[in-house]
mmCIF file of all heavy atoms in Angstrom:
data_model
loop_
_atom_site.group_PDB
_atom_site.id
_atom_site.type_symbol
_atom_site.label_atom_id
_atom_site.label_comp_id
_atom_site.label_asym_id
_atom_site.label_seq_id
_atom_site.Cartn_x
_atom_site.Cartn_y
_atom_site.Cartn_z
ATOM 1 N N LYS A 1 0.816 -1.189 -0.012
ATOM 2 C CA LYS A 1 0.010 0.007 -0.012
ATOM 3 C C LYS A 1 0.850 1.256 0.001
ATOM 4 O O LYS A 1 1.914 1.283 0.674
ATOM 5 C CB LYS A 1 -0.924 0.043 1.227
ATOM 6 C CG LYS A 1 -1.707 -1.221 1.521
ATOM 7 C CD LYS A 1 -2.754 -1.503 0.465
ATOM 8 C CE LYS A 1 -3.521 -2.758 0.770
ATOM 9 N NZ LYS A 1 -4.408 -3.146 -0.347
ATOM 10 N N ALA A 2 0.432 2.268 -0.717
ATOM 11 C CA ALA A 2 0.983 3.582 -0.634
ATOM 12 C C ALA A 2 0.139 4.366 0.369
ATOM 13 O O ALA A 2 -0.980 4.831 0.042
ATOM 14 C CB ALA A 2 0.973 4.275 -2.012
ATOM 15 N N LEU A 3 0.599 4.438 1.619
ATOM 16 C CA LEU A 3 -0.177 5.129 2.672
ATOM 17 C C LEU A 3 -0.245 6.629 2.417
ATOM 18 O O LEU A 3 -1.233 7.292 2.774
ATOM 19 C CB LEU A 3 0.430 4.834 4.023
ATOM 20 C CG LEU A 3 0.546 3.358 4.417
ATOM 21 C CD1 LEU A 3 1.039 3.223 5.863
ATOM 22 C CD2 LEU A 3 -0.773 2.660 4.253
ATOM 23 N N ASP A 4 0.796 7.161 1.838
ATOM 24 C CA ASP A 4 0.825 8.552 1.344
ATOM 25 C C ASP A 4 1.976 8.612 0.347
ATOM 26 O O ASP A 4 2.563 7.548 -0.007
ATOM 27 C CB ASP A 4 0.988 9.597 2.486
ATOM 28 C CG ASP A 4 2.222 9.340 3.360
ATOM 29 O OD1 ASP A 4 3.309 9.087 2.777
ATOM 30 O OD2 ASP A 4 2.135 9.409 4.571
ATOM 31 N N ASP A 5 2.291 9.820 -0.111
ATOM 32 C CA ASP A 5 3.340 9.914 -1.172
ATOM 33 C C ASP A 5 4.673 9.367 -0.743
ATOM 34 O O ASP A 5 5.478 8.918 -1.573
ATOM 35 C CB ASP A 5 3.503 11.396 -1.576
ATOM 36 C CG ASP A 5 2.405 11.891 -2.481
ATOM 37 O OD1 ASP A 5 1.590 11.008 -2.923
ATOM 38 O OD2 ASP A 5 2.298 13.087 -2.717
ATOM 39 N N TYR A 6 4.963 9.366 0.546
ATOM 40 C CA TYR A 6 6.275 8.992 1.024
ATOM 41 C C TYR A 6 6.283 7.816 1.997
ATOM 42 O O TYR A 6 7.244 7.624 2.744
ATOM 43 C CB TYR A 6 6.964 10.219 1.690
ATOM 44 C CG TYR A 6 7.066 11.395 0.728
ATOM 45 C CD1 TYR A 6 6.236 12.479 0.905
ATOM 46 C CD2 TYR A 6 7.984 11.367 -0.338
ATOM 47 C CE1 TYR A 6 6.308 13.582 0.037
ATOM 48 C CE2 TYR A 6 8.034 12.460 -1.206
ATOM 49 C CZ TYR A 6 7.215 13.556 -1.007
ATOM 50 O OH TYR A 6 7.270 14.587 -1.894
ATOM 51 N N THR A 7 5.181 7.057 2.018
ATOM 52 C CA THR A 7 5.107 5.894 2.900
ATOM 53 C C THR A 7 4.561 4.684 2.142
ATOM 54 O O THR A 7 3.439 4.727 1.624
ATOM 55 C CB THR A 7 4.224 6.162 4.117
ATOM 56 O OG1 THR A 7 4.552 7.422 4.724
ATOM 57 C CG2 THR A 7 4.310 5.021 5.138
ATOM 58 N N VAL A 8 5.374 3.641 2.077
ATOM 59 C CA VAL A 8 4.936 2.403 1.434
ATOM 60 C C VAL A 8 4.969 1.301 2.485
ATOM 61 O O VAL A 8 5.896 1.246 3.315
ATOM 62 C CB VAL A 8 5.798 2.042 0.229
ATOM 63 C CG1 VAL A 8 7.244 1.788 0.601
ATOM 64 C CG2 VAL A 8 5.223 0.825 -0.490
ATOM 65 N N GLN A 9 3.935 0.447 2.465
ATOM 66 C CA GLN A 9 3.812 -0.572 3.494
ATOM 67 C C GLN A 9 3.545 -1.945 2.858
ATOM 68 O O GLN A 9 2.775 -2.056 1.946
ATOM 69 C CB GLN A 9 2.659 -0.208 4.441
ATOM 70 C CG GLN A 9 2.510 -1.145 5.619
ATOM 71 C CD GLN A 9 1.367 -0.687 6.523
ATOM 72 O OE1 GLN A 9 0.198 -0.990 6.275
ATOM 73 N NE2 GLN A 9 1.723 0.111 7.522
ATOM 74 N N TYR A 10 4.274 -2.931 3.393
ATOM 75 C CA TYR A 10 4.102 -4.322 2.964
ATOM 76 C C TYR A 10 3.541 -5.141 4.140
ATOM 77 O O TYR A 10 4.053 -5.012 5.262
ATOM 78 C CB TYR A 10 5.421 -4.948 2.495
ATOM 79 C CG TYR A 10 5.987 -4.302 1.269
ATOM 80 C CD1 TYR A 10 6.829 -3.194 1.385
ATOM 81 C CD2 TYR A 10 5.725 -4.812 -0.005
ATOM 82 C CE1 TYR A 10 7.354 -2.589 0.245
ATOM 83 C CE2 TYR A 10 6.241 -4.218 -1.153
ATOM 84 C CZ TYR A 10 7.062 -3.099 -1.007
ATOM 85 O OH TYR A 10 7.615 -2.513 -2.094
ATOM 86 N N THR A 11 2.545 -5.979 3.871
ATOM 87 C CA THR A 11 1.993 -6.890 4.854
ATOM 88 C C THR A 11 2.310 -8.345 4.414
ATOM 89 O O THR A 11 2.001 -8.708 3.281
ATOM 90 C CB THR A 11 0.490 -6.711 5.019
ATOM 91 O OG1 THR A 11 0.204 -5.353 5.346
ATOM 92 C CG2 THR A 11 -0.044 -7.620 6.089
ATOM 93 N N LEU A 12 2.921 -9.086 5.309
ATOM 94 C CA LEU A 12 3.366 -10.436 5.003
ATOM 95 C C LEU A 12 2.404 -11.485 5.522
ATOM 96 O O LEU A 12 1.615 -11.217 6.436
ATOM 97 C CB LEU A 12 4.749 -10.668 5.556
ATOM 98 C CG LEU A 12 5.864 -9.653 5.263
ATOM 99 C CD1 LEU A 12 7.178 -10.111 5.833
ATOM 100 C CD2 LEU A 12 5.963 -9.403 3.772
ATOM 101 N N ASN A 13 2.490 -12.668 4.982
ATOM 102 C CA ASN A 13 1.703 -13.780 5.474
ATOM 103 C C ASN A 13 2.210 -14.359 6.765
ATOM 104 O O ASN A 13 1.444 -14.814 7.626
ATOM 105 C CB ASN A 13 1.692 -14.916 4.446
ATOM 106 C CG ASN A 13 0.826 -14.549 3.202
ATOM 107 O OD1 ASN A 13 -0.286 -14.060 3.348
ATOM 108 N ND2 ASN A 13 1.363 -14.829 2.041
ATOM 109 N N SER A 14 3.536 -14.339 6.931
ATOM 110 C CA SER A 14 4.139 -14.812 8.172
ATOM 111 C C SER A 14 5.431 -14.053 8.379
ATOM 112 O O SER A 14 5.989 -13.507 7.425
ATOM 113 C CB SER A 14 4.382 -16.354 8.072
ATOM 114 O OG SER A 14 5.211 -16.640 6.988
ATOM 115 N N PRO A 15 5.981 -14.064 9.571
ATOM 116 C CA PRO A 15 7.221 -13.288 9.830
ATOM 117 C C PRO A 15 8.379 -13.816 8.973
ATOM 118 O O PRO A 15 8.576 -15.019 8.816
ATOM 119 C CB PRO A 15 7.491 -13.549 11.314
ATOM 120 C CG PRO A 15 6.147 -13.901 11.870
ATOM 121 C CD PRO A 15 5.447 -14.672 10.816
ATOM 122 N N GLU A 16 9.148 -12.890 8.442
ATOM 123 C CA GLU A 16 10.366 -13.228 7.708
ATOM 124 C C GLU A 16 11.477 -12.296 8.180
ATOM 125 O O GLU A 16 11.591 -11.153 7.767
ATOM 126 C CB GLU A 16 10.169 -13.050 6.199
ATOM 127 C CG GLU A 16 9.215 -14.052 5.575
ATOM 128 C CD GLU A 16 9.172 -13.920 4.048
ATOM 129 O OE1 GLU A 16 9.972 -13.158 3.488
ATOM 130 O OE2 GLU A 16 8.348 -14.608 3.433
ATOM 131 N N PRO A 17 12.282 -12.758 9.097
ATOM 132 C CA PRO A 17 13.360 -11.906 9.663
ATOM 133 C C PRO A 17 14.298 -11.369 8.571
ATOM 134 O O PRO A 17 14.983 -10.367 8.792
ATOM 135 C CB PRO A 17 14.098 -12.836 10.624
ATOM 136 C CG PRO A 17 13.127 -13.903 10.960
ATOM 137 C CD PRO A 17 12.302 -14.100 9.736
ATOM 138 N N TYR A 18 14.343 -12.047 7.440
ATOM 139 C CA TYR A 18 15.223 -11.666 6.365
ATOM 140 C C TYR A 18 14.512 -10.805 5.289
ATOM 141 O O TYR A 18 15.065 -10.581 4.213
ATOM 142 C CB TYR A 18 15.833 -12.901 5.693
ATOM 143 C CG TYR A 18 14.795 -14.019 5.456
ATOM 144 C CD1 TYR A 18 13.947 -13.964 4.333
ATOM 145 C CD2 TYR A 18 14.610 -15.000 6.361
ATOM 146 C CE1 TYR A 18 12.976 -14.936 4.120
ATOM 147 C CE2 TYR A 18 13.647 -15.970 6.187
ATOM 148 C CZ TYR A 18 12.842 -15.940 5.053
ATOM 149 O OH TYR A 18 11.846 -16.866 4.864
ATOM 150 N N TRP A 19 13.328 -10.354 5.576
ATOM 151 C CA TRP A 19 12.502 -9.650 4.583
ATOM 152 C C TRP A 19 13.283 -8.425 3.983
ATOM 153 O O TRP A 19 13.265 -8.211 2.800
ATOM 154 C CB TRP A 19 11.169 -9.186 5.147
ATOM 155 C CG TRP A 19 10.470 -8.195 4.220
ATOM 156 C CD1 TRP A 19 10.400 -6.862 4.358
ATOM 157 C CD2 TRP A 19 9.786 -8.500 3.003
ATOM 158 N NE1 TRP A 19 9.722 -6.279 3.297
ATOM 159 C CE2 TRP A 19 9.332 -7.306 2.460
ATOM 160 C CE3 TRP A 19 9.519 -9.691 2.323
ATOM 161 C CZ2 TRP A 19 8.652 -7.232 1.263
ATOM 162 C CZ3 TRP A 19 8.803 -9.650 1.136
ATOM 163 C CH2 TRP A 19 8.370 -8.429 0.593
ATOM 164 N N ASN A 20 13.904 -7.644 4.866
ATOM 165 C CA ASN A 20 14.567 -6.451 4.370
ATOM 166 C C ASN A 20 15.623 -6.752 3.309
ATOM 167 O O ASN A 20 15.827 -5.978 2.365
ATOM 168 C CB ASN A 20 15.207 -5.666 5.505
ATOM 169 C CG ASN A 20 14.276 -4.666 6.152
ATOM 170 O OD1 ASN A 20 13.309 -4.213 5.499
ATOM 171 N ND2 ASN A 20 14.530 -4.289 7.380
ATOM 172 N N SER A 21 16.281 -7.911 3.424
ATOM 173 C CA SER A 21 17.297 -8.254 2.428
ATOM 174 C C SER A 21 16.649 -8.508 1.060
ATOM 175 O O SER A 21 17.293 -8.390 0.034
ATOM 176 C CB SER A 21 18.129 -9.452 2.878
ATOM 177 O OG SER A 21 17.351 -10.609 3.038
ATOM 178 N N LYS A 22 15.341 -8.867 1.038
ATOM 179 C CA LYS A 22 14.662 -9.049 -0.227
ATOM 180 C C LYS A 22 14.480 -7.775 -0.974
ATOM 181 O O LYS A 22 14.347 -7.748 -2.181
ATOM 182 C CB LYS A 22 13.328 -9.740 0.013
ATOM 183 C CG LYS A 22 13.391 -11.207 0.429
ATOM 184 C CD LYS A 22 12.015 -11.845 0.437
ATOM 185 C CE LYS A 22 12.093 -13.325 0.748
ATOM 186 N NZ LYS A 22 10.734 -13.967 0.730
ATOM 187 N N THR A 23 14.427 -6.647 -0.237
ATOM 188 C CA THR A 23 14.135 -5.363 -0.908
ATOM 189 C C THR A 23 15.284 -4.904 -1.791
ATOM 190 O O THR A 23 15.130 -3.953 -2.556
ATOM 191 C CB THR A 23 13.887 -4.247 0.152
ATOM 192 O OG1 THR A 23 15.059 -3.960 0.880
ATOM 193 C CG2 THR A 23 12.743 -4.698 1.064
ATOM 194 N N THR A 24 16.463 -5.586 -1.706
ATOM 195 C CA THR A 24 17.555 -5.222 -2.620
ATOM 196 C C THR A 24 17.455 -5.929 -3.956
ATOM 197 O O THR A 24 18.340 -5.776 -4.790
ATOM 198 C CB THR A 24 18.923 -5.538 -1.981
ATOM 199 O OG1 THR A 24 19.065 -6.959 -1.835
ATOM 200 C CG2 THR A 24 19.024 -4.915 -0.574
ATOM 201 N N ASN A 25 16.390 -6.704 -4.157
ATOM 202 C CA ASN A 25 16.196 -7.432 -5.416
ATOM 203 C C ASN A 25 15.297 -6.678 -6.361
ATOM 204 O O ASN A 25 14.337 -5.987 -5.942
ATOM 205 C CB ASN A 25 15.573 -8.808 -5.111
ATOM 206 C CG ASN A 25 16.567 -9.718 -4.416
ATOM 207 O OD1 ASN A 25 17.396 -10.324 -5.019
ATOM 208 N ND2 ASN A 25 16.463 -9.802 -3.075
ATOM 209 N N GLY A 26 15.548 -6.830 -7.647
ATOM 210 C CA GLY A 26 14.891 -6.051 -8.684
ATOM 211 C C GLY A 26 13.389 -6.117 -8.663
ATOM 212 O O GLY A 26 12.737 -5.101 -8.959
ATOM 213 N N ILE A 27 12.807 -7.219 -8.278
ATOM 214 C CA ILE A 27 11.339 -7.341 -8.339
ATOM 215 C C ILE A 27 10.650 -6.420 -7.355
ATOM 216 O O ILE A 27 9.461 -6.090 -7.514
ATOM 217 C CB ILE A 27 10.887 -8.821 -8.078
ATOM 218 C CG1 ILE A 27 9.438 -9.014 -8.465
ATOM 219 C CG2 ILE A 27 11.245 -9.243 -6.649
ATOM 220 C CD1 ILE A 27 8.978 -10.447 -8.429
ATOM 221 N N LEU A 28 11.364 -5.932 -6.344
ATOM 222 C CA LEU A 28 10.786 -4.993 -5.409
ATOM 223 C C LEU A 28 11.225 -3.560 -5.634
ATOM 224 O O LEU A 28 10.949 -2.690 -4.788
ATOM 225 C CB LEU A 28 11.132 -5.434 -3.956
ATOM 226 C CG LEU A 28 10.425 -6.703 -3.472
ATOM 227 C CD1 LEU A 28 10.921 -7.116 -2.113
ATOM 228 C CD2 LEU A 28 8.901 -6.517 -3.432
ATOM 229 N N TYR A 29 11.831 -3.286 -6.765
ATOM 230 C CA TYR A 29 12.175 -1.930 -7.118
ATOM 231 C C TYR A 29 10.946 -1.180 -7.621
ATOM 232 O O TYR A 29 9.949 -1.806 -8.068
ATOM 233 C CB TYR A 29 13.234 -1.904 -8.233
ATOM 234 C CG TYR A 29 14.614 -2.367 -7.815
ATOM 235 C CD1 TYR A 29 15.644 -2.437 -8.736
ATOM 236 C CD2 TYR A 29 14.898 -2.775 -6.482
ATOM 237 C CE1 TYR A 29 16.920 -2.883 -8.353
ATOM 238 C CE2 TYR A 29 16.196 -3.193 -6.151
ATOM 239 C CZ TYR A 29 17.163 -3.242 -7.085
ATOM 240 O OH TYR A 29 18.434 -3.682 -6.736
ATOM 241 N N PRO A 30 10.994 0.121 -7.640
ATOM 242 C CA PRO A 30 9.842 0.917 -8.101
ATOM 243 C C PRO A 30 9.851 1.108 -9.631
ATOM 244 O O PRO A 30 10.885 0.864 -10.300
ATOM 245 C CB PRO A 30 10.058 2.282 -7.442
ATOM 246 C CG PRO A 30 11.563 2.392 -7.334
ATOM 247 C CD PRO A 30 12.048 0.975 -7.067
ATOM 248 N N VAL A 31 8.731 1.522 -10.171
ATOM 249 C CA VAL A 31 8.654 1.929 -11.556
ATOM 250 C C VAL A 31 7.628 3.081 -11.639
ATOM 251 O O VAL A 31 6.633 3.089 -10.891
ATOM 252 C CB VAL A 31 8.230 0.763 -12.464
ATOM 253 C CG1 VAL A 31 6.748 0.347 -12.244
ATOM 254 C CG2 VAL A 31 8.436 1.119 -13.953
ATOM 255 N N ASN A 32 7.879 4.029 -12.484
ATOM 256 C CA ASN A 32 6.959 5.150 -12.649
ATOM 257 C C ASN A 32 5.835 4.680 -13.576
ATOM 258 O O ASN A 32 6.066 4.303 -14.749
ATOM 259 C CB ASN A 32 7.639 6.356 -13.268
ATOM 260 C CG ASN A 32 6.697 7.509 -13.454
ATOM 261 O OD1 ASN A 32 5.994 7.605 -14.435
ATOM 262 N ND2 ASN A 32 6.701 8.430 -12.496
ATOM 263 N N GLU A 33 4.577 4.618 -13.093
ATOM 264 C CA GLU A 33 3.486 4.000 -13.823
ATOM 265 C C GLU A 33 3.159 4.786 -15.087
ATOM 266 O O GLU A 33 2.861 4.185 -16.119
ATOM 267 C CB GLU A 33 2.231 3.938 -12.925
ATOM 268 C CG GLU A 33 1.075 3.181 -13.577
ATOM 269 C CD GLU A 33 -0.059 2.955 -12.579
ATOM 270 O OE1 GLU A 33 -0.148 3.699 -11.599
ATOM 271 O OE2 GLU A 33 -0.833 2.019 -12.824
ATOM 272 N N GLU A 34 3.236 6.099 -15.050
ATOM 273 C CA GLU A 34 2.957 6.890 -16.238
ATOM 274 C C GLU A 34 3.937 6.572 -17.351
ATOM 275 O O GLU A 34 3.525 6.385 -18.496
ATOM 276 C CB GLU A 34 3.024 8.400 -15.894
ATOM 277 C CG GLU A 34 2.779 9.301 -17.080
ATOM 278 C CD GLU A 34 2.976 10.767 -16.727
ATOM 279 O OE1 GLU A 34 2.076 11.342 -16.141
ATOM 280 O OE2 GLU A 34 4.068 11.319 -17.056
ATOM 281 N N PHE A 35 5.236 6.495 -17.024
ATOM 282 C CA PHE A 35 6.231 6.151 -17.993
ATOM 283 C C PHE A 35 6.029 4.736 -18.551
ATOM 284 O O PHE A 35 6.139 4.476 -19.729
ATOM 285 C CB PHE A 35 7.611 6.321 -17.388
ATOM 286 C CG PHE A 35 8.752 6.041 -18.352
ATOM 287 C CD1 PHE A 35 9.191 7.068 -19.220
ATOM 288 C CD2 PHE A 35 9.390 4.816 -18.396
ATOM 289 C CE1 PHE A 35 10.263 6.819 -20.109
ATOM 290 C CE2 PHE A 35 10.442 4.580 -19.290
ATOM 291 C CZ PHE A 35 10.858 5.613 -20.123
ATOM 292 N N LEU A 36 5.787 3.795 -17.627
ATOM 293 C CA LEU A 36 5.553 2.415 -18.002
ATOM 294 C C LEU A 36 4.392 2.305 -18.998
ATOM 295 O O LEU A 36 4.516 1.642 -20.015
ATOM 296 C CB LEU A 36 5.234 1.577 -16.753
ATOM 297 C CG LEU A 36 4.899 0.094 -16.939
ATOM 298 C CD1 LEU A 36 6.108 -0.649 -17.403
ATOM 299 C CD2 LEU A 36 4.378 -0.497 -15.634
ATOM 300 N N THR A 37 3.290 2.988 -18.726
ATOM 301 C CA THR A 37 2.132 2.955 -19.613
ATOM 302 C C THR A 37 2.448 3.603 -20.970
ATOM 303 O O THR A 37 2.067 3.070 -22.000
ATOM 304 C CB THR A 37 0.944 3.640 -18.951
ATOM 305 O OG1 THR A 37 0.670 2.995 -17.700
ATOM 306 C CG2 THR A 37 -0.278 3.587 -19.857
ATOM 307 N N SER A 38 3.169 4.688 -20.893
ATOM 308 C CA SER A 38 3.456 5.401 -22.138
ATOM 309 C C SER A 38 4.338 4.602 -23.099
ATOM 310 O O SER A 38 4.252 4.683 -24.307
ATOM 311 C CB SER A 38 4.140 6.746 -21.862
ATOM 312 O OG SER A 38 5.476 6.569 -21.376
ATOM 313 N N LYS A 39 5.215 3.774 -22.524
ATOM 314 C CA LYS A 39 6.128 2.958 -23.353
ATOM 315 C C LYS A 39 5.482 1.710 -23.860
ATOM 316 O O LYS A 39 5.864 1.177 -24.912
ATOM 317 C CB LYS A 39 7.381 2.620 -22.546
ATOM 318 C CG LYS A 39 8.353 3.779 -22.329
ATOM 319 C CD LYS A 39 8.942 4.236 -23.657
ATOM 320 C CE LYS A 39 9.931 5.353 -23.453
ATOM 321 N NZ LYS A 39 10.530 5.815 -24.764
ATOM 322 N N GLY A 40 4.526 1.154 -23.127
ATOM 323 C CA GLY A 40 3.859 -0.068 -23.573
ATOM 324 C C GLY A 40 4.865 -1.182 -23.776
ATOM 325 O O GLY A 40 5.695 -1.428 -22.951
ATOM 326 N N ASP A 41 4.801 -1.864 -24.951
ATOM 327 C CA ASP A 41 5.710 -2.963 -25.233
ATOM 328 C C ASP A 41 7.123 -2.521 -25.469
ATOM 329 O O ASP A 41 8.047 -3.335 -25.558
ATOM 330 C CB ASP A 41 5.208 -3.734 -26.487
ATOM 331 C CG ASP A 41 3.930 -4.478 -26.209
ATOM 332 O OD1 ASP A 41 3.594 -4.719 -25.054
ATOM 333 O OD2 ASP A 41 3.222 -4.802 -27.188
ATOM 334 N N LYS A 42 7.348 -1.220 -25.580
ATOM 335 C CA LYS A 42 8.673 -0.660 -25.799
ATOM 336 C C LYS A 42 9.422 -0.423 -24.489
ATOM 337 O O LYS A 42 10.591 0.048 -24.543
ATOM 338 C CB LYS A 42 8.615 0.604 -26.629
ATOM 339 C CG LYS A 42 7.966 0.466 -28.025
ATOM 340 C CD LYS A 42 8.754 -0.468 -28.890
ATOM 341 C CE LYS A 42 8.162 -0.543 -30.304
ATOM 342 N NZ LYS A 42 8.904 -1.475 -31.167
#
């Protein structure tokens, strides 16, 4: 969830003490939705 412009929150199914280390992986990186949509398949 985007709680506001500068707060993002993740809710997990069960505790993962190593969760923060997952945030260094590409799948959890951000993308600008407007740019993504404008580019489409490109």
